Amino acid sequence: MEVFCGGINSKTVQAAAVWRQGNLLHFGFEQSPAEMNDAGRALLVNSVAYIARFTEDRPITDVTSPFVGAAPHDRAAVLRAFARADSRAYLKYVLCDALYSELEGLTDDARHAWYRQSERYLHGDENGKLAIDAEAAAFGVSPNTAAFFEKAIAALKSEAGSASPARRLLARYAPAGPGEEGSANSWASWWRENGPYLFFSDGGGYRWYLDPLAKKRSVPTADLRGSARADKPDNRSAPTR
């Protein structure tokens, strides 16, 4: 997601007024063009002209709308809760009951120490609240790192006691891969082919996604950001008159 314009209003600091996801543009101002001032109309025209450059890109992550289900909180929600005056109430809102009970009686320093130790194993539960993935914690590698794939694939090759947890974790966090029944070789091949074009998303369900545009252009997804995702000049159609 590429954010162009924030704003000061009654929404949270994460809200944005104008942003792009793939070939879609969100222009979050209520007024019709006739009701806008010159700056507002210019912003609208510039936004339309900008999004017209992104015919190849597409939205990638699957995010649950809060109007139809429980969207998972991102991990940083815990840190935002620590900084709020109503920290207790907000922690209860973002954490599952077990984690809230664990943190409720801790000092601020102890809470931050807990977060530094546990953050890499947090994920959204069925209610969208943050919980510890006990299986990932026992495996010992954060699922949102490249080291996770390396250790999990090595476990599959060894067929040791960690092979079954590795299979479940790979299927859980990389659903676009060969699946829980995939062989070590198929997972290793998939990782070699797609590793540079994968990214991890908390809000998109705590999982890895494959970036089709990055793979098509053979550019690592970490380097293909913002306006770099626009159509290449030779792929743009001539303007009509």
Side-chain angles (χ1 to χ4, degrees), residues 2-9 11-20 25-30 43 47:
E2 182 183 8
V3 177
F4 313 124
C5 177
I8 300 174
N9 54 34
K11 298 182 182 294
T12 69
V13 294
Q14 292 179 290
V18 186
W19 48 267
R20 179 187 68 82
L25 178 84
H26 174 88
F27 191 83
F29 295 98
E30 179 183 7
L43 178 62
S47 297

Side-chain angles (χ1 to χ4, degrees), residues 141-221:
V141 180
S142 177
N144 68 339
T145 63
F148 164 72
F149 286 101
E150 295 163 4
K151 182 172 180 177
I153 292 168
L156 294 186
K157 289 180 178 179
S158 71
E159 290 300 330
S162 58
S164 291
R167 288 184 183 281
R168 290 192 294 271
L169 289 168
L170 282 168
R172 184 182 312 155
Y173 287 103
E180 190 169 343
E181 301 305 317
S183 67
N185 287 338
S186 63
W187 271 105
S189 176
W190 183 82
W191 171 241
R192 282 194 304 271
E193 179 184 349
N194 298 299
Y197 316 118
L198 295 172
F199 66 94
F200 192 90
S201 171
D202 287 10
Y206 286 85
R207 52 160 288 191
W208 290 87
Y209 285 88
L210 177 63
D211 182 348
L213 185 64
K215 187 173 181 178
K216 176 183 177 182
R217 295 185 183 177
S218 299
V219 178
T221 194

